[in-house]
Amino acid sequence: MSKEDHNTVGYTIALVSEFAAKFGIMPKQAYNYLKRFKGLDYFYNHYGILHTFSFEDSVDAVSEVCKLNGGKLQ
């Protein structure tokens, strides 16, 4: 695994954990929610920018994408 891939995986795990904590759900539920409502697609497509944000701002960004795609967590 390349260093970039390793960093992406680590950041993804941290983002999912922060998302879960913010909404009071389990990390597996957070992952499934982010996948279902396109939050992870957005994250992977914009990783170059999002990984420079704070976790709070990144979580807010993917939350908004999920909301726009039918997600109901707020």
Side-chain angles (χ1 to χ4, degrees):
M1 177 183 291
S2 73
K3 182 176 176 155
E4 184 177 335
D5 289 342
H6 180 54
N7 290 342
T8 303
V9 169
Y11 194 89
T12 303
I13 291 167
L15 180 75
V16 170
S17 295
E18 290 292 323
F19 186 92
K22 178 177 180 172
F23 291 105
I25 59 178
M26 298 300 295
K28 177 67 174 166
Q29 292 171 304
Y31 175 82
N32 289 338
Y33 180 88
L34 289 168
K35 187 168 173 93
R36 177 177 179 193
F37 295 109
K38 310 285 190 242
L40 285 178
D41 289 342
Y42 176 81
F43 171 73
Y44 292 133
N45 288 331
H46 301 286
Y47 173 78
I49 295 294
L50 288 175
H51 86 277
T52 66
F53 293 1
S54 68
F55 278 114
E56 183 179 348
D57 289 343
S58 293
V59 167
D60 289 345
V62 296
S63 297
E64 186 63 27
V65 169
C66 290
K67 184 178 171 186
L68 293 171
N69 286 299
K72 302 292 184 198
L73 289 178
Q74 292 189 7

